[in-house]
Amino acid sequence: MVFDFLEPVSENVLGFVENLNGQTLGRKVVLHTGADFPDLSFAKIALVGVLDNRGAVQDSLVDLDSIRKEFYSLYPGNWESTIVDLGNIPKGNKQEDTYFVVAQLVAELVKKQIVPIIIGGSQDLTYAIYRGYDHLDQMVNLTAIDSRFDFGKDETLHTSTSYLSKIIINEPTNLFNYSNIGFQTYYNSQEEIDLIEKLYFDCYRLGEVAINPSMAEPVFRDSDLVSLDLTCIQSANSGNNYIFTPNGFNGKEICALARYAGLSDKVSSFGLFNHHNSQQESVLIAQIIWYFIEGYNYRSLEFPNLNRNNFLKYIVPIDDLELVFFKSPKTERWWIEIPFFSNVNNKLKRNSLLPCMHEDYLRACDQEIPDRWWKAQRKESY
C-alpha cells in the first residue's frame, strides 16, 4: 500500500498544533500522527510533503515544519471540505524511488477525488506527479507558474530545470497541453521559445500577467496539474536570497493565481517546489496554500461539455468560419468550441470546449480569431 511509505507529521509540529487556538487550521486539519492515519472517506484535499531536493541546483535538506506551522496558525475561511495532512514522503535511495511513490500516491488520491497539494522538494517532482496520471485514462494539461520553461538538456533530465523535456520525451506521452504563466524572456533561449510555438503550447509573459492576473483564469480552468516554482516570486516578497530574483510575481499576485487554480473545476493536483527554507518564504507558502484551498471551496462545478443546454450560446461568423461561444449565466465565464476531427483520440473528447475570456468573444466580434483557438484546433487535428 502506497500510504505505508508516508512518514507522520513531526512531533515538533504536533506539539505546536496542540497549543493553537481551537479555531485555527491546525485544530481542524486531520493529521497523520503515526498512531492514527487520516480517514480518507470524506477528505477532499490532502497535504503531502516530499523530502527530496536532489533535482535542485544544490541538494539540501528539505524542512517543511516551518511551512506547516505557518499554515496551521491561519484561520480557515467559510470552508466545508475536509483537509488531511498525510505527512511526508521520505527521500528514496534513488530519485526514481521517490518518483515512484509520488506517482502512486497521486494516482490513488486523484482516483478518490482528493486533490493532493504536494510541497517539495525540487520541481522535477512535477514529472512524478504527471506520471501519476498514467492509469487514469486521460490526457493531461500541465500549467507551470514559472519564470523558465525548464526544457534543459538530455544529460540533466533528473533536474528541476529539465523536467519538461522528460515529460515530452518519455512514454507514455499523456501530455496534451503545456502552459507557462509568468515566463521571463531573458531566462529562456530563443530556441526554447520557438519550440513552445512549434508544439502549440501556451505561454504568458510575467508583465502581462502581473498587469492582469485574471487572464490566467481560463488557463487554470483547462488544467489538470499546476506546478509552482517558488523562484518565480520576487526575492523581496519571498525572502529567497539563495536564488536572487529581482523581478517576478509579488505576494498578492501569486496568491491570486493560486486562488484561480483552486477555483478550477478541473485542477486535480497542485505542487509547490524549490522552497529554500527561509522563514519569510514559509509565511508566503502558507498563504499561497490557503488561497488555493479558498478557491477550491468556491468551485462552481460547471461542466458545459456534459450539458450545454444550461449555457448561453453565441455564434460569431468570421470569413468562412463560425466560432461558437458558450457563456455561463451563473458565473459569467466563457468557453469557445473547438471542432473535432475523425482521427482524434477518444481521450481528448473532453477538450471540445476550451475555456476563454469575455475579451476573446469581443475580439471575435471584431473578426479576430483567438490565438488559443488556433493552437488548440491545430493540436486537435495534428
Side-chain angles (χ1 to χ4, degrees), residues 155-183:
E155 63 270 20
T156 60
L157 287 183
H158 283 64
T159 71
S160 61
T161 60
S162 60
Y163 73 89
L164 184 57
S165 293
K166 196 168 183 177
I167 287 175
I168 294 172
I169 293 171
N170 289 8
E171 294 185 351
T173 52
N174 298 326
L175 183 67
F176 180 68
N177 190 47
Y178 166 80
S179 299
N180 176 287
I181 295 176
F183 83 97

Side-chain angles (χ1 to χ4, degrees), residues 108-142:
E108 286 296 320
L109 293 174
V110 173
K111 285 178 184 177
K112 295 178 184 293
Q113 297 185 320
I114 301 172
V115 177
I117 298 178
I118 308 295
I119 311 169
S122 46
Q123 199 183 14
D124 57 294
L125 294 167
T126 303
Y127 173 77
I129 300 174
Y130 163 76
R131 286 273 74 102
Y133 288 83
D134 285 352
H135 304 292
L136 300 177
D137 192 31
Q138 67 171 80
M139 300 298 282
V140 179
N141 287 349
L142 163 63

